[in-house]
Amino acid sequence: MNPAIPNALSAPPFKIPDPPEEFGHDGGKFYRAYDALADEIDEDMAKSLKEQLDGMLIFAGLFAGVNSAFLALTLPLLSPDPSGDTNALLAQNNAILMQLAMRANDTVAFNFTLPSAKFSPSGDIFAINTLFSLSLAFAIISSFLAVLGRQWLVYYRRRSGGGPDRQRWEQLKRFLGAQRWRLGLILDDILPSLLQAGLIIFCIAFIFYLRHLNPQISVLIGIPVYLGFAIFIGSALCTLWDTFCPFQSPLSHLLHWSVKKAPSALRIVLGFTKSSFGSLHKYVLQFVTQQVQTIRRSSSMSGETDSSWTNYHTEEMPRRRIFADIASIRRCLRFLARCREEETLESLQVIAIQRAICTSDDPATLLYAIGNILGIGNVAQMEQLWRDPIFQERFFDQFRDSYTRMLQIRGRDQVDVASSARRLLLVRDVDWWEFYDLVRPVYAIQETTVLIPYEELSDSPTVLLRSTLVFTILQFYTYYPADHTIKEFCGYLALYSNTLERGDWRLFCIISCIVSNLRIIRYIASSSIGSLRDAYRGFVS
């Protein structure tokens, strides 16, 4: 596959989107891009899991047939041979007939105990049948779970009515539920591991059965079996040395998880052992002392007291147990009736932005998602958005290379488009509740202006005007601006002041805050940054 590289000649007309005042109020551009991305992700996951489940069902059916054929040979060995009783009875009848024919007076010793009565299968036969049966059970269980997995995927991809908005958020809730309940882990790791465990058990039982029949044949057949098992273990160990080794399997995933969790688990075990053994003698002494005191008190009681205490136990204790059982039943019913709280719409909006930015490589989808971040006015939503470390890494990556990437995609003659894309992306940082984590990336782009030129001010939304001003002040906080930079910023500030006629309160607060701190703009401090943040949010009386 040779994808065409976009250039200035073949690229379709493209306009940097204006950030909306409220989330999602951009004409549905972000939602359309997100719906296409979410459908692609869900379809890819469902298709890959469905193909794996289909392969498991086919293999499990063939494997169960082979296993059943061996069980048909080994299960009769657990019960006595009926021909043994027949042969024993015939032998006794022949002895009686011979005695009658020879007219002998000797008494024939009869054995009334049949061979089946004292039959007991050997330990090898019992172990072989146990392993074959266990292997077949694993195959049947994995097949059943694979069928259930197919039903789970059908439910996951089922669409409900109610319009596109309801379908979008309902599908996102299903995606979050699949992540929360580890659907991918169950269908991609646990099910194949059950089938692989059944296959390994079958190989062990097959070697034991051959050894029971002929030890020499078991040695010859065991060599390739052991070799295959060694290759399986070795391929899983290779993934520990090389994370991107293609020999991935449930065993390799288990080894990775074990290596990752081993240090913390070891610390927990050592701490628990130390605390347990350190206070064990204390608990033993307390227990022995309490038992001795109880025995002394019981021995000093009179017979009347003992009888009253016995009557109390026989009458009151059953009632207490009944009340305790009723209370426990009520707690269980109350727990079952209390369902898990669903995600709010605000939380789902944040998750949609995270999925779009962390997953998509389409410039339009990224810019639509970044533009809608400006429409988020809730601090809790911003904190939820910024808590994801993967989102932070992805955002900073776009943060640094937005101008260069847009030039590569749109062509070198699209400088205005690249500048607008950089402006839209860079101003994102002014809306975070905590700005200290952004000092380093902001410092990395010092002397890079994001202020809007005069000819574009009339067409720019108010939210973009506010953001570009505040981001420039953040730049001044991270480095020492030159005199010509301060002079240029004052010129831009005068041009921005002409837009106050729009009547935006937050823009008025920002410009007023900047003008009041204009003399110390070069030495702006953290306290001034805090007041500027309040002005950006409109928290100024």
Side-chain angles (χ1 to χ4, degrees), residues 188-193 196 232 248-255:
D188 200 26
D189 286 337
I190 296 181
L191 260 67
S193 63
Q196 292 173 5
F232 174 67
Q248 300 292 331
S249 65
L251 179 61
S252 64
H253 298 164
L254 179 62
L255 291 176

Side-chain angles (χ1 to χ4, degrees), residues 1 108 119 126 197 201 203 205 282 288 322 420 443 491 507:
M1 183 174 64
V108 180
F119 174 80
F126 183 80
I201 294 173
C203 292
K282 178 181 178 181
V288 172
I322 293 174
S420 301
Y443 178 78
L507 180 61

